[in-house]
């Protein structure tokens, strides 16, 4: 179903608000850090002198520098927001979108987002997030519509990001560690390796040179590393993601990065809690650990932006929908199925788009993201056993079940960490 003009305008405004959140990261984060500096002067002078002797203020100053380094990276990531297909003029103050340098469309590197015109079309997103400790599957922030004058015309204004917006951006920095750094490899391997091994096992009778004939979908692809890894194995792989925060960051990594470890970020500087030493707070992380353009020649790798159910659950006879029924040989879900409002429909869509005998490989917890939401959206919250019973009723045969203990965007040098007892299984479409 085509989107209404109101929905298109709403999406455009949301996109501009996300861009504004990237732009305002530095003043927001520096202000939060400056609060620590001010707090020093609220305590007795003898206490201040003790803090001075252990160089507490030096650590605050070093944090400022790390924040500015993060801001430089984030501003580079949004240097060309128009490539995402949104008209942004009139909703952002002049000069906000670049540093005075010109940026041309033809500078785009070939990559999974690139189409004939170098652009990317978004599907409509949904708004919600639910986080627990270091694990957060972030949905798009609630929309804020443009201000309107008496004539009904949109008034150009600067969006003021909320703490919720900034938390998504901070989460994106930590997600970059998980997906695209050497430091993230241990956590990545706990989640991605079992999935890739099960995929290879399912297609073990297929010669490696013929894997390109088998289509693999990765919904909730985040920053795209799992999908990239699958394409690197030789399969035709498509990732799907709906968060503009993730899409902007992944576009920059995948399409604009031309050397290993080109960028340095400081993802852990936003909280001083549970830090054992300065290294745990201020250590630099280099990204990416691989060259994104190093996929083998002829690789079939793409990323589609939009809502999973709207894109892959659309009826094949709709005017602008690509055929999806029975078109996928494998669907890989990693920390994804608990993002559903209605898990029944998620599983139904996965079953529907798989070819007969196709495989669904899952790994993740059940942190139901819409539980106790404040937007009156439905939320179906099943137990693990109920999810598996539902999958069987929908037409899956489940095998290779086990539990995988893993963290999610964890600071390995923090004094606090959450461990998920994630459920893993392979499910074959039988009916």
């Amino acid at each position: 179903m085509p989107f209404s003009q109101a929905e298109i305008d709403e999406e455009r405004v949301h996109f501009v608000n996300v861009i504004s959140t990237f732009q305002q990261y530095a003043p927001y984060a520096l202000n939060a850090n400056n609060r620590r500096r001010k707090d020093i002067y609220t305590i007795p002078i003898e206490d201040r002198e003790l803090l001075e002797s252990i160089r507490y203020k030096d650590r605050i100053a070093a944090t400022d520098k790390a924040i500015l380094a993060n801001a430089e990276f984030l501003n580079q990531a949004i240097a060309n927001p128009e490539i995402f297909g949104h008209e942004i003029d009139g909703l952002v103050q002049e000069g906000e979108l670049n540093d005075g340098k010109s940026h041309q469309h033809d500078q785009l590197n070939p990559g999974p987002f690139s189409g004939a015109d170098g652009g990317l079309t978004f599907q409509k997103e949904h708004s919600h997030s639910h986080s627990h400790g270091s694990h957060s599957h972030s949905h798009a922030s609630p929309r804020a519509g443009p201000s309107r004058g008496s004539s009904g015309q949109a008034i150009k204004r600067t969006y003021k990001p909320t703490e919720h917006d900034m938390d998504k951006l901070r989460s994106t920095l930590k997600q970059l560690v998980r997906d695209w750094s050497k430091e993230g490899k241990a956590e990545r391997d706990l989640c991605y390796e079992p999935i890739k091994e099960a995929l290879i096992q399912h297609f073990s009778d297929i010669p490696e040179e013929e894997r390109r004939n088998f289509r693999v979908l990765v919904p909730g692809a985040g920053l795209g590393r799992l999908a990239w890894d699958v394409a690197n194995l030789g399969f035709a792989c498509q990732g799907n993601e709906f968060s503009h925060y993730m899409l902007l960051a992944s576009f920059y990594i995948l399409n604009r990065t031309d050397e290993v470890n080109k960028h340095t970020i400081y993802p852990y500087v936003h909280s001083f809690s549970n830090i054992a030493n300065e290294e745990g707070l201020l250590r630099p992380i280099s990204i990416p650990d691989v060259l994104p353009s190093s996929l083998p020649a002829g690789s079939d790798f793409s990323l589609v932006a939009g809502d999973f159910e709207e894109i892959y659950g659309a009826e094949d006879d709709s005017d602008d929908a690509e055929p999806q029924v029975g078109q996928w040989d494998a669907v890989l879900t990693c920390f994804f199925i608990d993002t559903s409002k209605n898990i029944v429909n998620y599983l139904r869509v996965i079953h529907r788009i798989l070819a007969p005998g196709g495989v669904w490989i899952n790994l993740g917890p059940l942190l139901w993201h819409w539980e106790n939401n404040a937007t009156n959206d439905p939320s179906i919250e099943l137990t693990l056993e109920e999810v598996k019973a539902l999958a069987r009723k929908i037409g899956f045969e489940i095998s290779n079940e086990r539990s995988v203990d893993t963290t999610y965007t964890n600071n390995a040098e923090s004094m606090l960490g959450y461990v998920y007892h994630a459920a893993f299984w392979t499910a074959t479409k039988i009916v």
Side-chain angles (χ1 to χ4, degrees):
M1 173 182 290
F3 297 117
S4 68
Q5 186 59 47
E7 290 175 319
I8 293 171
D9 290 344
E10 180 186 25
E11 186 68 14
R12 176 177 169 233
V13 170
H14 172 65
F15 179 73
V16 172
N17 291 348
V18 172
I19 293 292
S20 185
T21 300
F22 274 71
Q23 293 166 335
Q24 296 183 58
Y25 163 81
Y28 193 99
L30 288 171
N31 184 61
N33 194 44
N34 196 45
R35 186 271 307 161
R36 300 183 177 100
R37 193 174 281 110
K38 291 178 179 179
D39 286 351
I40 294 173
Y41 295 97
T42 67
I43 64 177
I45 189 169
E46 58 269 25
D47 295 356
R48 297 204 301 266
E49 291 172 350
L50 285 171
L51 291 181
E52 186 75 27
S53 71
I54 62 172
R55 304 182 64 184
Y56 177 60
K57 289 202 305 185
D58 290 350
R59 181 155 59 89
I60 294 174
T63 298
D64 281 343
K65 293 179 180 179
I67 288 170
L68 292 173
N70 286 342
E72 182 178 1
F73 169 80
L74 293 172
N75 286 331
Q76 290 171 358
I78 58 167
N80 281 111
E82 66 272 17
I83 59 181
F84 284 82
H86 288 290
E87 294 294 332
I88 56 177
D89 293 340
L91 285 177
V92 180
Q93 298 289 347
E94 183 178 356
E96 283 185 350
L97 288 178
N98 59 59
D99 53 6
K101 302 175 183 177
S102 62
H103 302 283
Q104 302 297 326
H105 287 273
D106 58 8
Q107 293 174 342
L108 281 174
N109 296 325
F113 285 119
S114 300
D117 59 356
L120 177 71
T121 300
F122 283 89
Q123 300 290 329
K124 182 173 180 286
E125 294 185 5
H126 292 299
S127 310
H128 191 65
S129 75
H130 188 135
S131 63
H132 181 190
S134 59
H135 167 205
S136 173
H137 301 315
S138 296
H139 292 241
S141 302
R143 269 50 161 184
S147 302
R148 297 191 178 273
S150 58
S151 66
Q153 295 296 314
I155 299 174
K156 185 166 62 175
R157 63 18 174 178
T158 300
Y159 175 70
K160 183 178 180 180
T162 65
E163 172 62 19
H164 180 66
D165 297 327
M166 284 297 169
D167 187 57
K168 288 178 178 296
L169 193 53
R170 293 189 294 260
S171 294
T172 301
L173 289 170
K174 289 188 285 188
Q175 189 80 28
L176 283 163
V177 181
R178 173 180 168 88
D179 264 16
W180 294 105
S181 78
K182 178 181 178 182
E183 285 78 2
K185 185 178 186 303
E187 185 177 277
R188 217 164 41 236
D189 286 353
L190 285 171
C191 296
Y192 297 170
E193 289 304 312
I195 293 174
K196 291 186 289 182
E197 290 167 4
L199 179 68
I200 292 171
Q201 177 60 37
H202 185 80
F203 294 102
S204 59
D205 58 335
I206 304 299
E208 189 170 339
E209 61 272 15
E210 293 184 19
R211 289 177 181 171
R212 65 182 182 275
N213 299 319
F214 292 84
R215 302 182 73 210
V216 180
L217 176 66
V218 182
L223 295 179
R225 182 58 179 267
L226 176 58
W228 188 92
D229 283 354
V230 170
N232 200 37
L233 291 173
F235 295 95
C237 189
Q238 182 173 102
N240 165 234
E241 180 55 49
F242 46 74
S243 166
H244 285 118
Y245 295 89
M246 295 290 184
L247 290 164
L248 285 161
S250 61
F251 179 90
Y252 186 61
I253 292 296
L254 291 166
N255 291 59
R256 295 295 184 87
T257 303
D258 54 11
E259 61 184 77
V260 172
N261 295 330
K262 182 173 184 176
H263 311 292
T264 300
I265 58 174
Y266 299 82
Y268 305 117
V269 296
H270 306 105
S271 173
F272 280 23
S273 297
N274 290 305
I275 299 297
N277 51 47
E278 191 169 289
E279 176 74 5
L281 179 77
L282 293 169
R283 73 185 184 282
I285 303 294
S286 298
I287 55 173
D289 63 322
V290 294
L291 188 62
S293 61
S294 64
L295 288 174
S299 295
D300 187 347
F301 173 41
S302 62
L303 289 174
V304 172
D307 180 83
F308 169 67
E309 291 173 284
E310 291 179 356
I311 295 174
Y312 300 96
E315 296 297 328
D316 283 355
D317 57 0
S318 61
D319 293 338
D320 55 356
E322 292 186 15
Q324 301 290 347
V325 176
Q327 297 299 305
W328 298 93
D329 299 291
V331 176
L332 314 181
T333 54
C334 185
F335 279 71
F336 174 71
I337 63 172
D338 54 358
T339 66
S340 65
K341 295 179 185 178
N342 177 7
I343 183 64
V344 180
N345 196 49
Y346 259 34
L347 300 196
R348 185 184 291 120
V349 171
I350 292 172
H351 183 271
R352 179 173 172 267
I353 65 177
L354 279 171
V359 64
W360 165 37
I361 302 169
N362 177 72
L363 187 148
L366 293 178
L367 178 64
W368 298 111
H369 287 203
W370 295 85
E371 184 176 13
N372 300 321
N373 71 82
T375 52
N376 294 320
D377 285 283
S379 180
I380 305 301
E381 302 144 9
L382 304 185
T383 67
L384 176 59
E385 289 306 312
E386 288 170 338
V387 169
K388 292 189 288 188
L390 175 64
R392 294 184 181 100
K393 287 185 178 294
I394 285 175
F396 287 105
E397 181 178 53
I398 297 176
S399 60
N400 197 18
E401 297 178 60
R402 66 180 187 272
S403 178
V404 175
D405 288 351
T406 181
T407 56
Y408 192 93
T409 63
N410 182 57
N411 180 355
E413 298 192 23
S414 170
M415 297 167 66
L416 174 69
Y418 291 95
V419 175
Y420 290 91
H421 308 301
F424 175 85
W425 64 73
T426 299
T428 304
K429 178 177 178 177
I430 57 174
V431 293

